[in-house]
Amino acid sequence: MIEIKTAAELEAMRAAGLVVARTLALIAEHAKPGVSTADLDQIAEQSIRDAGAVPSFKGYHGFPGSICASVNDQIVHGIPAPTQVLADGDLLSVDCGAILEGWHGDSAISLHVGAASAADHALSEATKAAMWAGIAAIQPDGRLTDISHAVQTEALAAGERDGVSYGIITEYGGHGIGRQMHMDPFLPNVGKPGKGPRLRVGMALAIEPMLTLGTAETEELDDGWTVLTADGSRAAHWEHSVAITDSGPWVLTAPEYS
Ligand code: MG
Ligand code: MG
């Protein structure tokens, strides 16, 4: 069963999404050489709690942080640590979740610490473009894997443009979101279109491609969390929580523009 939200419930999810968006914007300002990922975690937790929300990651199956901070060859689920001090040229992916009034927001960005290499910049842009292609493929009465297919197609097209064969991580993917962070359905980042559950107004999904500069094979550190590329190549991760409305996708974790 996929949770269907009313318009008022989606408004409540947008409020949670904004807490996440503002927190990630704050993290982006502070992700500088010499700053540790534990410093960023503290900033994130404060930002979330100041908004009257709760960091959803903290304590999730025992996860110790309020953000996942994944550096360079770490793909996702990196544990913030005082010993993980950011250096010029690092590629940092930050995943953040918040619960406000019982509703979840979940979003991730990749950031360049100091100067970015051309390859890292292209990787992050390709991952972001794949996310947006997935979002653009959402339509009421469409099917779930329309999104998967759009993500994969854009990742491959970006690779063609950039002259790189990006690894597309398939062990992890998107998910339903609402009263819980991870809900049905699982959303693969690859696949043929036209399969899986039918998309309905009132559903909300997290769209989150992860691409690498090399392999799509992953390894997990013995901390039980950190997922890294098996070949040491760098990875990027972008994510938005998106609602399906009558007029199309509504990006619940998008920043506000004034
Ligand atoms: Mg996330
Ligand atoms: Mg997610």
Side-chain angles (χ1 to χ4, degrees):
M1 285 297 289
I2 302 176
E3 189 180 75
I4 300 288
K5 283 71 128 163
T6 65
E9 288 170 341
L10 291 181
E11 292 284 350
M13 284 191 71
R14 170 59 174 157
L18 271 177
V19 173
V20 175
R22 289 174 187 143
T23 300
L24 285 172
L26 197 59
I27 294 298
E29 279 173 36
H30 285 85
K32 300 260 169 28
V35 172
S36 77
T37 55
D39 296 334
L40 297 179
D41 186 64
Q42 210 163 39
I43 292 166
E45 179 166 4
Q46 194 65 52
S47 164
I48 292 167
R49 294 201 190 276
D50 284 351
V54 174
S56 46
F57 293 8
K58 197 152 190 155
Y60 182 84
H61 296 282
F63 189 79
S66 294
I67 54 170
C68 295
S70 307
V71 183
N72 296 336
D73 62 336
Q74 300 174 354
I75 307 164
V76 286
H77 305 164
I79 299 175
T83 50
Q84 181 80 66
V85 177
L86 298 173
D88 189 47
D90 278 349
L91 175 56
L92 169 69
S93 296
V94 180
D95 197 341
C96 180
I99 313 165
L100 184 68
E101 309 280 340
W103 295 98
H104 284 254
D106 184 12
S107 180
I109 57 175
S110 288
L111 298 166
H112 304 291
V113 180
S117 73
D120 284 359
H121 180 73
L123 170 66
S124 179
E125 290 299 308
T127 311
K128 196 198 305 184
M131 173 190 69
W132 283 113
I135 292 169
I138 294 175
Q139 43 180 339
D141 297 324
R143 300 289 283 264
L144 184 72
T145 67
D146 297 349
I147 305 169
S148 315
H149 185 69
V151 167
Q152 180 181 21
T153 300
E154 178 55 32
L156 295 173
E160 292 264 314
R161 290 196 295 271
D162 299 341
V164 183
S165 179
Y166 293 120
I168 307 173
I169 302 298
T170 56
E171 281 169 80
Y172 304 88
H175 50 91
I177 183 166
R179 291 183 195 275
Q180 295 169 50
M181 177 162 59
H182 292 132
M183 305 183 76
D184 284 340
F186 174 73
L187 171 58
N189 282 321
V190 297
K192 290 185 166 56
K195 298 183 185 302
R198 202 163 284 284
L199 302 178
R200 303 286 188 202
V201 169
M203 289 181 179
L205 298 165
I207 318 295
E208 50 177 319
M210 290 142 263
L211 301 185
T212 80
L213 285 174
T215 187
E217 274 178 58
T218 69
E219 282 174 5
E220 195 182 279
L221 284 186
D222 50 19
D223 64 14
W225 283 102
T226 312
V227 178
L228 53 170
T229 58
D231 62 357
S233 62
R234 290 187 167 194
H237 178 209
W238 282 86
E239 176 181 25
H240 270 311
S241 300
V242 183
I244 305 173
T245 75
D246 284 321
S247 46
W250 181 16
V251 184
L252 301 167
T253 45
E256 264 177 329
Y257 296 99
S258 50

